[in-house]
Amino acid sequence: MQEIRCPWCGPRVQTEFEYYCDDSLLTEVWGSEAVQQNLDRVFLRSNHLGYHQEIWQHTHGCRGWLRVLRHNLTHEIKESQPLGSNPVVDKDGRMQS
Amino acid sequence: MRNYSSYALIKNALTGNTRWTPAWRNARPRKNYEVIIIGGGGHGLATAYYLAKNHGITDVAVLDKGWIGGGNTGRNTTIIRSDYLLEENAGLYDFSLGLWAGLSRELNFNLMFSERGAVTLAHSEAHLNQLARLANAMLLRGVNAELLTREEVLKEIPVLDGGAGTRWPVEGAFRQPEAGTARHDAVVWGYARAADSLGVDIVEQCEVVGMNMEKGRIKGVQTSQGVIAADKVAIVVAGHTSTVAALAGLTLPVESHLLQAMVSEPIKPVLDTVVMSMAYDGYVSQTNKGEIVMGAELDGYPSYSQRGNLPRIEDCVRYTLTMFPSFSGLRLMRSWAGINDMTMDGSPLIGPTPVDGLYINGGWCYGGFKTIPGSGWAFADTLAHDRAHRLVEPYRLDRFNTGHTINENGHGPLPQHH
Ligand SMILES: Cc1cc2nc3c(=O)[nH]c(=O)nc-3n(C[C@H](O)[C@H](O)[C@H](O)COP(=O)(O)OP(=O)(O)OC[C@H]3O[C@@H](n4cnc5c(N)ncnc54)[C@H](O)[C@@H]3O)c2cc1C
Ligand SMILES: [Zn+2]
């Protein structure tokens, strides 16, 4: 079982949490290009093998929202931060400068 | 192909079973093919077979990075049914169910297709209404469907606990009598053997690691066994659909999630139908060997690990024991996980891609075993004629852009909930 560190409550078992979506889903786009970009954002996933920035909720705890950096093959969790933090990798898993 | 028959069994028994020949050749890849199919699961092999049989296209290779049937086809709970509500799904699922009945004979391979029926339990009035709507939709399209009362369910499935006095007692059920199960490995081996005998090359331990393209057209694939040229390439790799499609620069509406299943030790026959439930996310049947097979919900987060977590096994066992308390003495023998290609609307992705000559058949989520014959048939036709066959046309890749999503249970684009 995965252990996830809630920024507010500390390390807890995975069953207290619920995976919500890939971080890329949250990046709203505005402007004239927005229709296609938003369609892609809602429906397409890079789904690459590697690190993903994911949104989880501490559902059975403080109900806080987390931005988790997790590897989808090894399940290693590198970071878990409050949702307001900046993503560490982009949707394709590339490090953000 | 040497015919399998009672005569062959007796003859080989007399020679100590030393004269059986391999069911398919262990092919080395040639330099080029008319069609390359990436992925030797049920869908890839069925596609190859129908390309050869229905369209006379035999210059075909099926490439698998591991052994054929090592993916989801060899890991699933083998439930075959066509009780889908939406018209877009009805065509392919009904057609597929029809093919299963004659398939063992056609492939000369005992697929152990067992038309034992599948029952979905209702635990509330809302469940009953929903199942009545489903049954009516099926009857309208000419497919058999039945509603059972609580008394009928308990009489027909004596080992089932009715949950009298509990929060979710069994209130009735829906049944598709023509549904059933089949032996998953046999489906893989049967299609492989039949395709091989028509000239298809089946190449195992051959991983596709790149795509060769020129001016927007597919030219072939790069593999762990070298470059292989092809006029047409089909991606049929289930859980790896996104990573293989990315080799051609495509991004898809797919997220890979884990699904687990497990079996108990074998016991004498107690359960002669498939049981599912509207309240408990577990689906249960008994194999011909006597094991109780149980399928779980998705693990709930994206993963390529093919390795499930204990909490879901506990959930699944809990659901099963709620329905069948008498199974509580059984020991669990094995559990395993498959990587499910979950799409954003819960329906598959089939058809041509923006790259000329490149096709996809994937996104089967946790429900693609039942459709192996029908999808193989229609996808082969699609490849042969360079356009989507009528039965798979609704599953076109751009349906999300045009608003034509096919969402059986009405969840949004959060595939862990499908
Ligand atoms: C636990 C579980 C229970 C299920 N229960 C049911 C059920 O009851 N009923 C039902 O209808 N469906 C069920 N399913 C779904 C069903 O198993 C799948 O939808 C179906 O088997 C998919 O078949 P496939 O041929 O597309 O993929 P697979 O059988 O997964 O085959 C894909 C193949 O592609 C190969 N591959 C991947 N990447 C590469 C590469 N780069 N190069 C070469 N080869 C590659 C893999 O090695 C694999 O052999 C279940 C699935 C699971 C995991
Ligand atoms: Zn918390």
Side-chain angles (χ1 to χ4, degrees), chain B residues 112-125:
Chain B
M112 298 165 90
F113 175 57
S114 152
E115 211 176 82
R116 60 181 66 183
V119 170
T120 304
L121 304 175
H123 303 265
S124 68
E125 201 178 327

Side-chain angles (χ1 to χ4, degrees), chain A residues 49-68:
Chain A
L49 201 154
Y51 286 104
H52 279 257
Q53 205 79 63
E54 299 174 338
I55 307 304
W56 290 69
Q57 187 182 18
H58 193 184
T59 336
H60 302 292
C62 66
R63 298 194 67 80
W65 289 90
L66 284 63
R67 177 172 266 133
V68 175

Side-chain angles (χ1 to χ4, degrees), chain A residues 77-93:
Chain A
I77 295 176
K78 247 200 168 135
E79 275 192 34
S80 56
Q81 304 288 343
L83 186 58
S85 63
N86 287 326
V88 183
V89 298
D90 71 4
K91 69 177 173 47
D92 300 311

